[in-house]
Each structure stands twice: as C-alpha cells, then as structure tokens.
Amino acid sequence: MEKTMVKAIYPGSFDPVTYGHLDVIERASKVVDELIIGVLVNSNKQPLFSMEERIHLLRETTKNYRNVQVKSFEGLTVNFARQNGAKVIIRGLRAVTDFESEMQIAQTNHSIEPEIETMFFTTSLQYSFLSSTIAKEVAFYGSDVSKLVPSVVEEALRVKYTGN
Ligand code: ADP
C-alpha cells in the first residue's frame, strides 16, 4: 500500500514560545511527516511580541527540525489548514482546565471541515503548569525563566522588560 504523507498544522499565539510548546512540537514532528507552526494574528489580544518577533523566536528554537516550518495566519484555523493541504490540527493539553475549550474548538473545526482531524498531545508533567502568560509574569518580576523558555526567548523577554 502506498504511504500517504501526513501534513499537520500547530496553531497558536506563541507569545512567546515556551518549553511546553517545544515539547509538543518535538513529539508531533516525530509522528507527522510535515509540521507547519501557524502563528495567529489575533486582533482580540494585544501580544507582547510582534508577529515578526514571535516567528523569529520559533524559527530559532525549531531550526534543528527538518520537517518543521513556521508561518503566520489570520482567520479560521481550518482555512489555514486547507490552504496548506494539511489534514491534521495539533493542539496541546496541559490539564483538565484546557479540556473544555479545546473540545469546543475541535468540535467546531470538525463541523466546518469534517476532513480535518484534531490531534491532542498531552504535555510532559514538568510543563503542565506552563503557559506563555506564566513565563511573561515570571520575567516581568525579574525572576529566573531559564526552566520555562529557551535562552533566546529568555533574552528577548529581558530586553522587553528591562530595555537592555
Ligand atoms: P492559544 O492562544 O491558541 O491557546 P498558545 O500559544 O497559548 O495559543 O497555545 C498553543 C497551543 O499549545 C494550545 O493547544 C495550548 O494548549 C498548547 N500549549 C501551551 N502551553 C503548553 C504546555 N505547557 N504544554 C502543552 N501544550 C501547551
């Protein structure tokens, strides 16, 4: 039987990318053939990092994965998936608190585009409390974020909050 290529998108705000996201990216990159990280232009949220900065940090931290690309997108996730010929949407689940909203998003996406499936990755225990918001808060108060984000992100957060 001929093997079909599995192409997936991993959408999110990534403001900024954390070790939690990278854990999902690493694991997803092993099960799909091609993974496109989609950085969302979200008009409802005012991000700390610009689109260019978020993309740059993602590219820097994923450059060793040969099957991973980073792009920006606007609008519905299913449209972004379709435009890229992807049949799978990757999302991460940290705790039960993520479950309800993720389920709602996945059901909605499936009803709009039944050909596209959402695949969930549970996070490693050590990152189950971690979000971009937590990393920003810790950095804002000048505490050590080296266990939460890679060094390029740590540096970028320091520049944002201290100006040098
Ligand atoms: P969004 O604003 O779309 O939730 P995020 O950048 O916060 O964007 O998250 C993108 C995806 O990554 C979501 O599916 C989220 O649940 C997942 N995610 C975020 N942090 C972690 C983590 N620490 N472990 C596993 N998944 C995570």
Side-chain angles (χ1 to χ4, degrees):
M1 207 166 79
E2 206 178 303
K3 188 183 175 294
T4 48
M5 285 268 291
V6 179
K7 208 175 192 188
I9 59 158
Y10 178 33
S13 312
F14 304 102
D15 183 39
V17 58
T18 68
Y19 278 136
H21 296 127
L22 290 168
D23 182 40
V24 171
I25 292 165
E26 156 129 37
R27 291 153 72 176
S29 73
K30 289 182 189 155
V31 290
V32 303
D33 296 294
E34 225 180 291
L35 180 65
I36 301 167
I37 303 169
V39 187
L40 181 65
V41 179
N42 190 340
S43 43
N44 299 325
K45 279 191 201 166
Q46 183 57 48
L48 176 67
F49 290 96
S50 69
M51 177 55 74
E52 290 68 33
E53 290 169 323
R54 285 179 281 154
I55 287 181
H56 168 74
L57 293 172
L58 273 162
R59 289 207 174 124
E60 276 298 303
T61 49
T62 61
K63 62 184 174 201
N64 293 331
Y65 301 108
R66 287 184 35 236
N67 59 345
V68 174
Q69 292 178 61
V70 187
K71 293 182 181 178
S72 70
F73 79 102
E74 209 164 345
L76 289 178
T77 303
V78 284
N79 290 344
F80 178 63
R82 213 185 290 131
Q83 279 155 16
N84 285 280
K87 289 273 163 66
V88 176
I89 297 172
I90 306 281
R91 293 289 284 177
L93 282 179
R94 282 161 290 196
V96 273
T97 43
D98 278 342
F99 190 81
E100 201 170 334
S101 59
E102 289 295 338
M103 179 117 153
Q104 209 168 31
I105 299 169
Q107 305 282 24
T108 308
N109 287 340
H110 198 258
S111 67
I112 303 173
E113 186 54 88
E115 289 293 300
I116 296 175
E117 295 292 345
T118 302
M119 203 160 142
F120 291 104
F121 283 79
T122 52
T123 186
S124 302
L125 208 53
Q126 79 219 81
Y127 303 129
S128 60
F129 67 94
L130 178 56
S131 65
S132 298
T133 306
I134 293 282
K136 284 183 278 195
E137 195 152 305
V138 173
F140 179 79
Y141 291 109
S143 285
D144 180 19
V145 287
S146 60
K147 291 195 170 61
L148 313 181
V149 297
S151 54
V152 271
V153 178
E154 189 180 352
E155 176 71 22
L157 280 165
R158 212 189 39 160
V159 171
K160 277 282 174 209
Y161 288 132
T162 70
N164 60 56

